Amino acid sequence: MNGKKVFVSYDHEGDMLEVLWAAREGYFTPTDDERILKRLDDDGEVIGFLIHEMSTLKEPSPIEFELDSEAPADDVDNITVREAAMRLGISERRVRQLARDGRVRGATKAGAEWLIPTPVDVVPGKRGPVGVAGRVPATADERS
């Protein structure tokens, strides 16, 4: 028998079930069900999915969702909180707070982690000083 391998893992701490049928690099993108993310490779082919908050699924009927492939946008990809923090020049904690407050456009939560779309778009705050996120530091000539 010559079948395909399927990788299934459950993270008890994060309460997430992940199923992959292709061991390739990819990124997660939302589906119609807020608990389910599909994993796409760089060509937009579906290579798996992730269901978070598994312990809340107590319905007797099976979960049903679509995993259609989609062409990825050339300029959009999901990155981690750490990568977003490095790109914005702020702390990981601040990125998480901005995402929780709905100020990072398109950010979605997958279990315990945030998926941040690129380019990272932070909605400016209504109070306080202008933030430094995304600003390029001045050169020595510009500071004088």
Side-chain angles (χ1 to χ4, degrees):
M1 187 163 127
N2 193 11
K4 283 188 171 184
K5 286 188 179 183
V6 175
F7 304 93
V8 179
S9 63
Y10 179 69
D11 175 5
H12 291 283
E13 188 175 322
D15 197 19
M16 298 181 288
L17 174 74
E18 185 172 12
V19 178
L20 296 173
W21 47 86
R24 295 194 295 267
E25 289 293 318
Y27 59 95
F28 288 106
T29 185
T31 65
D32 292 337
D33 187 326
E34 64 188 26
R35 300 169 297 187
I36 301 168
L37 299 169
K38 59 185 170 182
R39 187 169 179 93
L40 303 173
D41 66 9
D42 291 335
D43 296 326
E45 181 182 342
V46 177
I47 58 173
F49 62 90
L50 177 135
I51 302 174
H52 57 92
E53 299 177 4
M54 284 295 296
S55 63
T56 64
L57 304 176
K58 301 190 186 303
E59 304 164 1
S61 59
I63 301 170
E64 185 176 321
F65 55 95
E66 291 187 29
L67 291 173
D68 294 333
S69 294
E70 58 187 49
D74 291 337
D75 59 345
V76 176
D77 199 1
N78 288 325
I79 58 174
T80 64
V81 168
R82 175 174 285 174
E83 178 69 22
M86 287 180 2
R87 289 184 186 190
L88 295 172
I90 59 178
S91 71
E92 292 177 37
R93 183 177 180 168
R94 184 64 180 146
V95 172
R96 285 188 195 91
Q97 183 64 49
L98 291 169
R100 261 192 309 275
D101 293 346
R103 291 185 47 202
V104 179
R105 287 198 176 104
T108 56
K109 191 144 189 204
E113 282 301 314
W114 285 95
L115 300 175
I116 312 293
T118 59
V120 181
D121 185 11
V122 178
V123 177
K126 296 184 182 3
R127 302 179 302 133
V130 176
V132 298
R135 257 194 322 192
V136 177
T139 63
D141 293 336
E142 293 173 332
R143 285 186 226 138
S144 343

